[in-house]
Amino acid sequence: TNSLVYDGGICKRLLKIMFKNKQNITSYEELQRVVWQDSVMTDNALRSLIRGLRKKLPKDFIFNLSGIGYKIV
């Protein structure tokens, strides 16, 4: 199990920036800067985090725009 999914700080930062950008798409670059800060965000880490959040949130709450980023709907 990827420990990043259960890292409250990363989850909290991800949801906070996505709610802040609720009307817009949160780009992968913004997620890297805000959520991962000085750490490197890998595609697998991001997918794992989103997958873990999707299990806890309403169906279709987080929408992926392939190659662009994520949006809360």
Side-chain angles (χ1 to χ4, degrees):
T1 306
N2 188 336
S3 62
L4 286 175
V5 171
Y6 302 104
D7 182 326
I10 287 179
C11 290
K12 188 174 181 178
R13 287 191 299 267
L14 180 117
L15 289 172
K16 185 175 180 181
I17 191 64
M18 289 185 71
F19 274 107
K20 180 180 173 194
N21 292 340
K22 192 174 174 182
Q23 302 302 318
N24 302 302
I25 298 162
T26 304
S27 70
Y28 295 126
E29 293 79 17
E30 189 168 10
L31 291 172
Q32 165 67 56
R33 185 173 43 79
V34 174
V35 177
W36 268 262
Q37 300 173 343
D38 294 330
S39 301
V40 175
M41 176 187 82
T42 65
D43 290 343
N44 282 342
L46 178 58
R47 277 195 297 269
S48 180
L49 179 62
I50 295 293
R51 187 173 35 252
L53 287 172
R54 282 180 169 152
K55 289 179 182 178
K56 298 176 182 181
L57 297 169
K59 185 174 170 35
D60 300 324
F61 188 75
I62 298 175
F63 180 74
N64 175 251
L65 291 112
S66 186
I68 300 170
Y70 290 93
K71 181 173 179 22
I72 290 179
V73 290

